[in-house]
Amino acid sequence: MPLRSSRAAGPWGRLLPLPPPSLLLLLALAACAARASEITFELPDNAKQCFYEEIAQGTKCTLEFQVITGGHYDVDCRLEDPDGIVLYKEMKKQYDSFTFTASRNGTYKFCFSNEFSTFTHKTVYFDFQVGEDPPLFPSENRVTALTQMESACVSIHEALKSVIDYQTHFRLREAQGRSRAEDLNTRVAYWSIGEAIILLVVSIGQVFLLKSFFSDKRTTTTRVGS
């Protein structure tokens, strides 16, 4: 069952021979068979968003998340099993990864909370993987050795998974770095405007002060008696 939300909402060292179209199709189908959900969503201030996933008993799952933009780049995360037992709970976490094995069949729930923040919106990315990738070939785990073509396909498949993982993390770092740079640029702009206003006020004050030193002071004399 696909993921539901509570709101709408290594490089190769050498060149390998190109597999025939049938093996390429098998490689693509095997990659699509893996159950994984990668979502980037906006989490408003004082808000909480939950996601649900049907998981079979004994399935190994991994939850990885990271806050990309907003405030101190932190969020609360909580994972519960079908009985409501808390499997994972972290407060004000910037990023983390948690792996568990489902103890029973049912709907597992994990929530991200920004209820502790009053004004700051957050952008959260998470990757929820259910189960392990199926073998590329039905007889991949056989005792006999794989053929040269099968070994090449397995190597390409593992390399592609590594490349996708690296690209994802690099995109997250780039987005987070851009957000920090824009925030720093905004602060510098506001500070510069404040300094300019202060400099203008001080300059005007100095002009009036110097003017008062050179202004003529009229004295009034009063005669005593007549």
Side-chain angles (χ1 to χ4, degrees):
M1 179 179 292
L3 188 70
R4 305 195 312 273
S5 171
S6 60
R7 297 175 56 193
W12 298 290
R14 57 188 178 88
L15 294 177
L16 297 175
L18 184 64
S22 58
L23 290 181
L24 288 177
L25 179 60
L26 182 62
L27 184 66
L29 291 177
C32 294
R35 293 178 58 190
S37 300
E38 292 185 76
I39 296 178
T40 302
F41 64 96
E42 293 286 341
L43 186 61
D45 52 281
N46 295 317
K48 178 180 180 180
Q49 184 160 346
C50 297
F51 300 86
Y52 302 84
E53 178 73 18
E54 291 285 343
I55 305 176
Q57 182 178 2
T59 304
K60 184 178 180 181
C61 306
T62 300
L63 173 63
E64 181 180 1
F65 69 91
Q66 179 177 344
V67 181
I68 303 176
T69 62
H72 297 286
Y73 302 89
D74 53 357
V75 73
D76 296 343
C77 182
R78 181 186 181 98
L79 173 65
E80 299 179 359
D81 67 359
D83 296 328
I85 300 176
V86 178
L87 303 178
Y88 171 84
K89 181 180 179 181
E90 288 292 340
M91 310 296 290
K92 295 184 178 180
K93 200 76 172 179
Q94 294 184 349
Y95 59 89
D96 202 5
S97 178
F98 176 70
T99 302
F100 68 98
T101 301
S103 59
R104 53 160 297 180
N105 298 330
T107 302
Y108 287 73
K109 179 178 74 171
F110 56 98
C111 302
F112 298 95
S113 174
N114 192 31
E115 295 175 329
F116 60 87
S117 180
T118 307
F119 304 103
T120 307
H121 286 54
K122 306 288 177 63
T123 302
V124 183
Y125 161 86
F126 75 85
D127 179 12
F128 191 68
Q129 299 180 359
V130 180
E132 298 180 354
D133 292 336
L136 293 180
F137 308 100
S139 56
E140 183 177 344
N141 298 325
R142 65 195 178 195
V143 179
T144 58
L146 298 176
T147 64
Q148 182 179 2
M149 189 64 66
E150 291 174 342
S151 300
C153 290
V154 173
S155 300
I156 293 175
H157 180 63
E158 294 298 328
L160 285 176
K161 289 197 301 183
S162 299
V163 169
I164 292 174
D165 186 61
Y166 283 135
Q167 287 181 338
T168 299
H169 284 83
F170 284 148
R171 283 196 295 266
L172 293 176
R173 291 179 182 178
E174 188 272 337
Q176 191 177 67
R178 183 174 64 251
S179 175
R180 292 180 183 271
E182 292 175 353
D183 182 60
L184 180 61
N185 180 65
T186 302
R187 294 185 180 184
V188 171
Y190 286 153
W191 180 259
S192 301
I193 294 174
E195 285 186 336
I197 293 175
I198 293 175
L199 181 62
L200 180 61
V201 171
V202 171
S203 300
I204 295 175
Q206 289 178 344
V207 170
F208 280 103
L209 182 62
L210 292 175
K211 185 178 180 181
S212 64
F213 291 158
F214 297 97
S215 60
D216 295 334
K217 295 182 178 180
R218 297 180 179 180
T219 58
T220 303
T221 56
T222 304
R223 294 180 180 182
V224 179
S226 58

